[in-house]
């Protein structure tokens, strides 16, 4: 298969048409990621000052949320000791203040909306309207230049302005990310691998707060958009999801009435009740994007435990199991497009046909490889720099298996009345950055598809 040629032509086609898709509405989660690279000596001194015994308790067992300094430092040690990631909500004001004073090495745009706004608006120059729960100076400063807008109400009228033009000062929703390398040592602990502990000092994104401007003027805001991407449901819990889900349901109804296709960017959602509620809502979306862990977690709440296990049993992930799972999900919910991504390949199941589905996946894979290679991609033209990264060899047996099972040709086949599109991705051996790479993949493929339809 001449994937190189398909990659080049897909990129060119999307690049020339991407500005024609109109505005993209992005809701709901935007925050600030404050990265702090841990220093062993500093951390040890802090532990001693707060009280070794109190701290060590929490390095054995994580608290449910962070309400004190021993819990904060203990949770960091919990991650270091195991080389495992963990994320907890930070409840106490004094602990939040301590984290602020402890400081950070780097600030990054966080939240799927923030990341996609900077990619679509700042890099692709596609106009976006973003929901930003809190517009603090720190937050607005992280938006790139370009056609990125937030709605604001002036003299009773909705105006779209760049976040940097927002005159008020609101709270900062900061996710403190305490990173450590492999071998990092503190007290008697040594990290078996690199990872991070995240303390979320954020009352807004964690409960899916929706701004009044959005709630009161949603129809007017939505009317000016051609596409929408929804994300940020992952932190909700069985105690607090009902109210935001009601509003999301209303928003989806408005978008559906206006004929605006909506993509859901699924992210790992630990709470089972919330996952079930998402499953119930899925039929109102045009499209969903997810990885193997996320697809398996949905199969679990659908009662498909065996299939869920199969999805996590092989490396690379068994594409026949993925296809079976996607078919079950499409049939149960009626969703029109499912985009699955994993390390090495992507698959899309659509209830419509055409090479443009596959070509949009190719564009997304090139964008992801460019991001991994360059860190930050300054403009869409730079994405072509990823062309020299070879197509991943690990995807060959995956492609063979799809050809055998579904008679796939040039990455396209028909399965159970749906089109199945496949592409092998380009993998960057020493990536500069993989933060938000899943969001890059899903949003690029979704809007790329509509660029190719236009
Ligand atoms: P995240 O939440 O970190 O964005 P996801 O699982 O949603 O994680 O996305 C990760 C995806 O990024 C993988 O499925 C894979 O396709 C892609 N990816 C990861 N590492 C690389 C790399 N080095 N080069 C190219 N693509 C990569």
């Amino acid at each position: 298969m001449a994937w190189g040629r398909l990659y080049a032509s897909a990129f060119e086609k999307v690049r020339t048409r991407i500005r024609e898709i109109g505005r993209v509405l992005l809701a709901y989660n935007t925050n600030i990621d404050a990265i702090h690279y841990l220093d062993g000596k500093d951390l040890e001194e802090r532990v001693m000052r707060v009280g070794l015994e109190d701290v060590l308790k929490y390095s054995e067992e994580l608290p449910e949320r962070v309400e004190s300094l021993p819990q904060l430092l203990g949770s960091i040690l919990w991650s270091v000791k195991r080389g495992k990631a963990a994320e907890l909500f930070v409840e106490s004001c004094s602990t939040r203040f301590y984290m602020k004073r402890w400081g950070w090495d780097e600030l990054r745009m966080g939240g799927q909306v923030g990341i996609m706004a900077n990619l679509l608006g700042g890099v692709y120059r596609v106009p976006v309207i973003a929901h930003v729960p809190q517009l603090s100076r720190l937050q607005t400063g992280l938006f790139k230049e370009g056609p990125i807008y937030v709605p604001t109400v002036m003299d009773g009228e909705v105006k779209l302005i760049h976040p940097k033009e927002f005159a008020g000062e609101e709270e900062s929703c900061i996710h403190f990310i305490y990173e450590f390398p492999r071998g990092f040592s503190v007290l008697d602990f040594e990290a078996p691998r690199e990872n991070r502990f995240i303390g979320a000092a954020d009352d807004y994104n964690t409960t899916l707060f929706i701004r009044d401007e959005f709630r009161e003027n949603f129809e007017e805001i939505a009317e000016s958009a051609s596409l929408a991407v929804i994300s940020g449901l992952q932190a909700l819990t069985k105690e607090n999801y009902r109210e935001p889900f009601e509003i999301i349901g209303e928003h989806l109804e408005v978008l559906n009435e206006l004929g605006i296709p909506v993509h859901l960017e699924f992210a790992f959602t630990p709470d089972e009740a919330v996952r079930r509620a998402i499953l119930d809502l899925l039929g109102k979306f045009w499209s969903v994007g997810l990885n193997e862990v996320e697809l398996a977690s949905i199969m679990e709440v659908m009662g498909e435990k065996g299939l869920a296990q199969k999805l996590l049993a092989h490396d690379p992930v068994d594409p026949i199991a993925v296809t079976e799972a996607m078919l079950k999900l499409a049939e149960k919910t009626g969703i029109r497009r499912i985009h699955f991504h994993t390390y090495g390949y992507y698959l899309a199941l659509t209830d419509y046909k055409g090479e443009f589905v596959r070509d949009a996946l190719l564009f997304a894979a090139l964008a992801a490889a460019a991001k991994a290679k360059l860190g930050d991609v300054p403009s869409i033209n730079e994405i072509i720099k990823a062309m020299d990264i070879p197509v991943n060899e690990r995807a060959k047996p995956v492609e063979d298996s799809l050809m055998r099972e579904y008679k796939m040709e040039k990455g396209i086949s028909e399965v159970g009345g749906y089109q199945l599109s496949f592409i092998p991705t380009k993998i960057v051996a020493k990536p500069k950055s993989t933060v938000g790479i899943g969001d890059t993949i899903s949003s690029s493929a979704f809007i790329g598809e509509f660029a190719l339809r236009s």
Side-chain angles (χ1 to χ4, degrees):
M1 240 337 291
W3 285 107
R5 244 192 2 249
L6 290 178
Y7 259 105
S9 95
F11 172 70
E12 206 36 45
K13 278 189 270 187
V14 176
R15 191 182 66 83
T16 52
R17 294 188 211 165
I18 199 159
R19 302 262 191 100
E20 291 163 26
I21 55 178
R23 280 199 191 130
V24 183
L25 177 64
L26 304 171
Y28 298 91
N29 58 330
T30 310
N31 64 263
I32 299 160
D33 282 347
I35 327 284
H36 180 120
Y37 299 104
L38 287 168
D39 169 337
K41 193 161 160 280
D42 170 48
L43 181 57
E44 198 162 317
E45 281 168 14
R46 285 172 187 273
V47 170
M48 292 308 178
R49 244 176 282 146
V50 167
L52 182 64
E53 210 178 309
D54 277 353
V55 171
L56 285 184
K57 222 169 36 204
Y58 299 107
S59 73
E60 296 295 321
E61 200 179 327
L62 278 180
E64 259 187 36
R65 47 182 53 208
V66 173
E67 284 163 345
S68 66
L69 290 185
Q71 288 184 335
L72 170 70
L73 299 173
S75 303
I76 294 175
L77 293 182
W78 184 96
S79 278
V80 170
K81 198 168 150 183
R82 296 164 178 79
K84 277 198 176 188
E87 177 166 353
L88 291 179
F89 176 67
V90 181
E91 172 99 73
S92 102
C93 283
S94 56
T95 308
R96 289 183 182 186
F97 185 56
Y98 177 93
M99 294 160 93
K100 255 198 185 162
R101 297 231 299 209
W102 194 0
W104 49 74
D105 298 294
E106 220 177 296
L107 286 180
R108 277 195 219 133
M109 177 61 90
Q112 286 131 320
V113 166
I115 291 168
M116 291 185 198
N118 274 348
L119 175 73
L120 306 187
V123 181
Y124 298 164
R125 302 274 152 173
V126 169
V128 297
I129 306 169
H131 179 263
V132 185
Q134 288 289 292
L135 288 149
S136 70
R137 281 275 154 345
L138 219 48
Q139 179 74 77
T140 56
L142 294 173
F143 282 94
K144 293 191 181 205
E145 297 301 331
I148 300 171
Y149 306 104
V150 289
T152 178
V153 177
M154 285 181 209
D155 306 323
E157 260 184 69
V158 180
K159 291 255 158 45
L160 293 176
I161 56 167
H162 190 280
K164 283 184 181 153
E165 285 168 34
F166 186 77
E169 172 64 6
E170 300 181 349
E171 279 185 50
S172 284
C173 303
I174 309 182
H175 295 200
F176 288 90
I177 305 182
Y178 295 98
E179 292 215 353
F180 50 87
R182 188 170 150 194
F184 174 82
S185 84
V186 55
L187 302 163
D188 290 338
F189 306 136
E190 191 175 305
R193 66 188 74 83
E194 69 280 9
N195 224 320
R196 64 191 67 115
F197 170 78
I198 305 178
D202 173 359
D203 298 307
Y204 293 87
N205 291 286
T206 47
T207 54
L208 212 113
F209 168 79
I210 301 173
R211 290 181 77 94
D212 286 347
E213 294 93 319
F214 255 74
R215 296 185 61 166
E216 287 159 13
N217 308 290
F218 189 76
E219 205 161 334
E220 189 182 338
I221 294 168
E223 269 171 5
S224 69
S226 312
L227 293 173
V229 180
I230 285 182
S231 59
L233 284 52
Q234 61 269 16
L236 292 169
T237 62
K238 62 176 176 303
E239 285 85 24
N240 67 13
Y241 78 92
R242 283 191 182 82
E243 197 190 322
F245 263 66
E246 234 169 73
I247 306 171
I248 298 167
E250 288 164 18
H251 286 179
L252 282 168
E253 244 157 60
V254 171
L255 291 163
N256 284 333
E257 263 171 38
L258 292 167
I260 298 171
V262 193
H263 173 86
L264 173 70
E265 188 50 17
F266 193 85
F268 185 70
T269 308
D271 192 304
E272 252 189 55
V274 180
R275 236 183 291 152
R276 246 178 235 172
I278 294 176
L279 189 63
D280 290 341
L281 211 57
L282 222 46
K284 294 192 175 159
F285 288 90
W286 173 291
S287 161
V288 63
L290 30 69
N291 67 17
E292 65 276 20
V293 178
E294 293 153 4
L295 184 59
S297 76
I298 294 187
M299 285 304 115
E300 267 188 18
V301 294
M302 277 172 61
E304 298 285 346
K305 295 229 159 47
L307 197 48
Q309 276 168 6
K310 255 199 206 166
L311 289 169
L312 301 176
H314 297 282
D315 182 27
V317 186
D318 172 10
I320 311 301
V322 175
T323 307
E324 264 179 54
M326 291 198 297
L327 278 170
K328 284 201 162 55
L329 187 59
E331 275 156 12
K332 182 177 170 72
T333 62
I335 194 157
R336 304 196 61 189
R337 173 180 183 273
I338 302 171
H339 174 187
F340 169 84
H341 63 83
T342 187
Y343 197 78
Y345 73 92
Y346 308 159
L347 281 173
L349 190 81
T350 49
D351 74 357
Y352 43 88
K353 300 186 170 48
E355 289 189 346
F356 64 93
V357 179
R358 177 204 62 200
D359 288 348
L361 298 183
L362 289 166
F363 168 71
L366 204 60
K371 184 177 169 60
K373 182 178 169 175
L374 306 170
D376 203 19
V377 184
S379 82
I380 192 166
N381 295 327
E382 300 287 307
I383 288 179
I384 200 73
K385 289 194 176 147
M387 268 311 283
D388 61 353
I389 300 160
V391 167
N392 172 29
E393 276 302 309
R394 286 159 44 103
K396 190 77 189 90
V398 174
E399 186 176 6
D400 291 344
S401 147
L402 290 165
M403 281 160 74
R404 260 195 322 271
E405 190 78 20
Y406 305 125
K407 304 191 174 53
M408 197 185 69
E409 277 180 53
K410 290 190 189 164
I412 293 176
S413 59
E414 209 183 303
V415 183
Y418 293 85
Q419 172 170 299
L420 182 69
S421 310
F422 157 86
I423 66 146
T425 64
K426 292 168 176 280
I427 294 281
V428 178
K430 290 204 178 89
K432 241 195 186 154
S433 160
T434 58
V435 183
I437 198 164
D439 304 336
T440 301
I441 296 167
S442 297
S443 59
S444 300
F446 178 63
I447 66 151
E449 208 182 283
F450 285 89
L452 293 174
R453 279 164 179 264
S454 61

